[in-house]
Amino acid sequence: MAKNRRHLGEILYKAGLVKKEALINAIKTSKTNNKRLGQVLLELGLIDEETLTKALAKQAGLKYVNLSEITIPSDATSIVPEDMIKRHGVLPLSVNNGRLKLIIGDPSDLDMMDAIRLRLNTELECYLANPTKIRSYIEESFDKEEKEADDRLRHSIDATAAELAEVGNELQAEALRAQAAGDDDEGPIIRLVNLIIDSAYYMRASDIHVEPMSDRVRVRYRVDGVCLEKDNIPKNMQAPLLTRLKILSGMDIAEKRLPQDGRIKRMIGGQDIDFRVSALPGNHGESVVLRILRPDAVNIGIESLGFEQDNYEQFQRIIKRPNGIFLVTGPTGSGKTTTLYAALQELNKPDKKIITAEDPVEYNFAGMNQCQVKEDIELTFERILRAMLRQAPNIILIGEIRDGAVADIAIQAALTGHLVFSTLHTNDACSAITRLIDMGVKPFLVASSIQAIMAQRLVRVICKKCKVVDEKPDPHHLRLLDITAEDIKDHPVYKGSGCSQCQNTGYKGRIAIFEMVELNSELRELAFKKASTGDLRQAAKASGMRMLMNDGKLKIFKGTTTPAEVARITQTEGMVEA
């Protein structure tokens, strides 16, 4: 390089490329803004980049080269590593006598030159070229193969995804696209989550289970009460997938050690659908479950619940009484809330005031006053119920009787002229009486306040599209349900052969089976005497109560469900009729 460097402005002025006044103003701007003079001249449009490069070459004593007039060796990366070429924006020409001929774009970047000297252990003979043209040349030449490889990979991924989608694996196809997109592109992961949610809705699922495993993320949909494995998502998609779900539901994405709850609201099929979201830490990551709360799920009406005619008339008569307690019992997911909402909608008239206490309020209904339990501010069932009675309601719904205090208030409300609906977790109807007494409620209060108790379960309905006569029903199920060969002669047993409409399960939709006991004087006397559940059941059967299993058998003989389904639901709870 030249030892006596001339000023850039002097070079440009003497070459007649910049006028004196413009140069003086540019020098002042350069000093004020602490910018290089060449940069200021470019910004002001006084010179172009090619003119500046030639002037800089003259100032630094370097030879200027026009990249369009020289040839860069095809094996350039064997002279200078590709990472250095791209990082520093340089192009190698050749190596002669231990000196590397190198095209650079900035003659003042001494750190760059020192780094190349040290790494390659060679002296440099530098040439100057337009830095923008150097970058363009690098992108066109050295990134070409990489781009071609990326394009080939992208086409391959798109083709594979299309094949997966064609055979019905849309979720796996979208996961493949999202995996290939990289961390900086959020679009595919958003589409993947949307597809998971939308698919569940159109499959009529009640829950979506996103479960991290040791080597994959399993996605299952609960359809008609049974989990169906839909697809597996690659393990490296776990973090973005869970993060997206937590963002949508308003959870803290940084918190991965504690359980969290959230809610998603989404428009699907012209309906506003709510999703109640729960995240639970596990060994392989957080398991996320989305409960789908669809408005049409509870607007089905009493007629569609599954009552036989006698039970339907009995149910209608009981819910129209002016006071007393009506209990619906069964395990989680047995449709208790749907049944109670159906009753409330039947009673929801302008002349009735209805107040509910729920945890949580899952569905909103016009004309009802619904209260949400909030334990964190001590707004408990007990506190809501005490305040509720001062609101002069006609009908009260208590989401669940969880303890003796709530049970006592519910009974007091029933005895003071209110009709009270609630749920209880017991296996059968008669067990509810002994359960309340075990909670500490006085037997005479239980006997005098309860009008009726109904236990229920949900059984899957045979798919109408693929419904066929079951020529060889499982004898084990028939034996469990006490169905004889004579019964089958009179009433053929049906099953679903499996089709696309029912996800090849043979079932589509669910219906309830019931066990309803209306308390009479004998049952009240037994409750007062703290009789056992067995004695209460015998008395209830004598008064005309039909057991869960027998109600299920009626639906089998009608061709609504299968022996396997009724046996699965009733036998697991020990509901064999004595």
Side-chain angles (χ1 to χ4, degrees):
M1 293 187 186
K3 292 183 179 178
N4 298 318
R5 291 171 63 94
R6 296 164 62 191
H7 290 293
L8 180 64
E10 181 186 350
I11 295 170
L12 292 169
Y13 174 68
K14 286 189 174 180
L17 299 171
V18 181
K19 292 182 179 179
K20 185 175 183 179
E21 295 80 4
L23 181 59
I24 292 171
N25 289 333
I27 292 171
K28 287 179 181 178
T29 303
S30 170
K31 290 179 179 178
T32 303
N33 297 336
N34 196 26
K35 289 184 177 179
R36 290 183 182 180
L37 178 60
Q39 184 182 351
V40 173
L41 292 168
L42 285 174
E43 290 173 355
L44 293 174
L46 297 174
I47 58 172
D48 58 27
E49 195 171 21
E50 204 67 42
T51 301
L52 176 62
T53 303
K54 290 177 181 178
L56 287 173
K58 195 168 187 180
Q59 181 191 34
L62 299 178
K63 185 177 179 180
Y64 165 80
V65 292
N66 188 340
L67 286 180
S68 59
E69 296 176 355
I70 62 169
T71 302
I72 304 298
S74 57
D75 61 345
T77 52
S78 66
I79 303 172
V80 176
E82 187 175 343
D83 66 305
M84 293 189 76
I85 292 173
K86 292 179 177 180
R87 187 187 320 124
H88 297 301
V90 297
L91 290 170
L93 284 172
S94 62
V95 177
N96 289 325
N97 299 322
R99 291 174 66 86
L100 169 62
K101 291 185 177 182
L102 189 70
I103 299 173
I104 63 173
D106 184 359
S108 65
D109 192 350
L110 302 178
D111 289 338
M112 172 269 292
M113 297 180 208
D114 287 340
I116 295 175
R117 281 194 192 97
L118 286 170
R119 181 165 172 184
L120 302 180
N121 193 25
T122 184
E123 286 300 315
L124 301 181
E125 183 179 328
C126 294
Y127 297 79
L128 197 63
N130 186 325
T132 301
K133 289 186 176 179
I134 293 176
R135 287 291 177 194
S136 298
Y137 190 94
I138 290 171
E139 288 175 8
E140 289 174 9
S141 302
F142 292 93
D143 292 346
K144 187 177 180 182
E145 290 184 10
E146 191 175 324
K147 284 181 180 178
E148 288 176 353
D150 285 345
D151 287 342
R152 286 195 299 271
L153 177 61
R154 192 175 295 108
H155 288 315
S156 174
I157 288 169
D158 288 343
T160 305
E163 288 174 9
L164 287 168
E166 194 174 335
V167 296
N169 293 334
E170 295 92 349
L171 192 60
Q172 204 168 351
E174 202 59 57
L176 182 63
R177 293 190 186 103
Q179 186 182 17
D183 296 338
D184 57 340
D185 187 356
E186 293 182 354
I189 198 69
I190 292 172
R191 289 197 301 273
L192 174 61
V193 171
N194 290 346
L195 181 61
I196 290 172
I197 292 173
D198 292 353
S199 298
Y201 173 81
Y202 290 114
M203 282 176 65
R204 303 173 297 102
S206 59
D207 303 273
I208 305 169
H209 297 262
V210 181
E211 302 164 319
M213 315 291 280
S214 60
D215 57 345
R216 68 191 193 282
V217 179
R218 182 170 65 177
V219 177
R220 294 194 292 173
Y221 295 154
R222 189 180 294 279
V223 181
D224 296 332
V226 177
C227 280
L228 303 176
E229 187 165 330
K230 178 63 177 174
D231 255 318
N232 291 306
I233 293 172
K235 185 70 175 175
N236 62 355
M237 294 298 299
Q238 177 176 316
L241 174 64
L242 297 183
T243 298
R244 177 63 184 166
L245 288 170
K246 290 167 83 171
I247 289 171
L248 283 176
S249 56
M251 296 182 189
D252 181 0
I253 62 172
E255 180 56 75
K256 299 179 180 179
R257 300 168 300 168
L258 298 173
Q260 294 189 77
D261 293 305
R263 202 150 185 155
I264 298 172
K265 197 174 188 71
R266 182 175 169 79
M267 176 73 77
I268 307 177
Q271 283 188 312
D272 277 327
I273 308 297
D274 277 329
F275 297 82
R276 201 173 72 212
V277 187
S278 170
L280 179 68
N283 280 346
H284 304 297
E286 293 169 287
S287 171
V288 177
V289 176
L290 294 83
R291 166 64 61 88
I292 304 174
L293 308 174
R294 54 181 80 216
D296 54 359
V298 289
N299 291 325
I300 61 175
I302 294 175
E303 299 84 359
S304 304
L305 292 174
F307 285 115
E308 300 301 322
Q309 187 60 34
D310 56 344
N311 276 348
Y312 174 75
E313 292 171 0
Q314 187 180 16
F315 183 79
Q316 286 279 15
R317 188 175 67 251
I318 292 167
I319 66 172
K320 288 174 182 171
R321 290 181 180 174
N323 55 55
I325 295 180
F326 181 70
L327 288 175
V328 180
T329 74
T332 301
S334 58
K336 301 187 296 296
T337 302
T338 301
T339 298
L340 288 179
Y341 277 144
L344 290 183
Q345 286 178 282
E346 181 87 2
L347 301 171
N348 189 14
K349 303 289 190 297
D351 62 333
K352 302 286 186 187
K353 175 156 182 149
I354 301 174
I355 305 181
T356 74
E358 304 171 66
D359 183 21
V361 174
E362 294 187 350
Y363 302 96
N364 296 303
F365 294 94
M368 298 185 200
N369 301 278
Q370 295 175 269
C371 301
Q372 166 81 52
V373 171
K374 296 178 181 176
E375 299 281 355
D376 54 334
I377 58 170
E378 298 183 3
L379 186 61
T380 59
F381 273 119
E382 183 179 355
R383 193 167 183 179
I384 291 173
L385 286 174
R386 292 188 190 283
M388 189 185 286
L389 295 178
R390 295 193 287 272
Q391 296 275 311
N394 300 102
I395 300 165
I396 294 170
L397 168 67
I398 305 168
E400 181 187 346
I401 294 178
R402 296 179 177 176
D403 52 46
V406 174
D408 277 330
I409 300 170
I411 286 172
Q412 292 301 327
L415 294 175
T416 52
H418 302 89
L419 181 60
V420 180
F421 292 95
S422 190
T423 68
L424 203 61
H425 288 290
T426 61
N427 285 339
D428 63 351
C430 295
S431 298
I433 295 173
T434 53
R435 175 75 189 280
L436 288 171
I437 294 171
D438 288 342
M439 283 182 177
V441 181
K442 293 181 174 60
F444 76 91
L445 291 176
V446 174
S448 57
S449 62
I450 293 179
Q451 294 289 350
I453 306 164
M454 185 172 74
Q456 71 176 65
R457 300 289 188 279
L458 294 176
V459 294
R460 290 182 290 174
V461 175
I462 299 170
C463 175
K464 293 177 181 177
K465 188 175 177 64
C466 59
K467 182 177 178 180
V468 295
V469 174
D470 189 355
E471 302 291 351
K472 295 182 179 179
D474 190 328
H476 176 64
H477 294 145
L478 299 180
R479 188 166 59 253
L480 285 173
L481 300 176
D482 195 25
I483 296 175
T484 64
E486 292 298 319
D487 293 330
I488 294 177
K489 274 185 187 177
D490 298 333
H491 306 282
V493 174
Y494 292 87
K495 68 175 182 178
S497 59
C499 65
S500 59
Q501 293 288 317
C502 61
Q503 311 291 324
N504 292 314
T505 61
Y507 300 97
K508 187 174 182 181
R510 285 189 292 177
I511 202 168
I513 56 174
F514 300 99
E515 176 179 288
M516 193 177 323
V517 54
E518 188 174 355
L519 267 69
N520 55 23
S521 57
E522 183 185 358
L523 285 166
R524 294 186 195 280
E525 183 68 23
L526 287 170
F528 180 72
K529 292 179 179 178
K530 300 172 69 171
S532 67
T533 301
D535 292 340
L536 288 166
R537 187 180 293 124
Q538 290 297 333
K541 283 163 56 181
S543 67
M545 180 189 76
R546 183 164 54 245
M547 301 285 287
L548 277 171
M549 187 176 71
N550 287 339
D551 199 47
K553 285 166 68 174
L554 289 178
K555 290 174 173 60
I556 292 170
F557 295 147
K558 283 184 174 182
T560 304
T561 190
T562 64
E565 188 66 9
V566 175
R568 177 179 72 88
I569 294 299
T570 60
Q571 295 300 314
T572 53
E573 299 295 340
M575 293 296 175
V576 183
E577 183 174 0

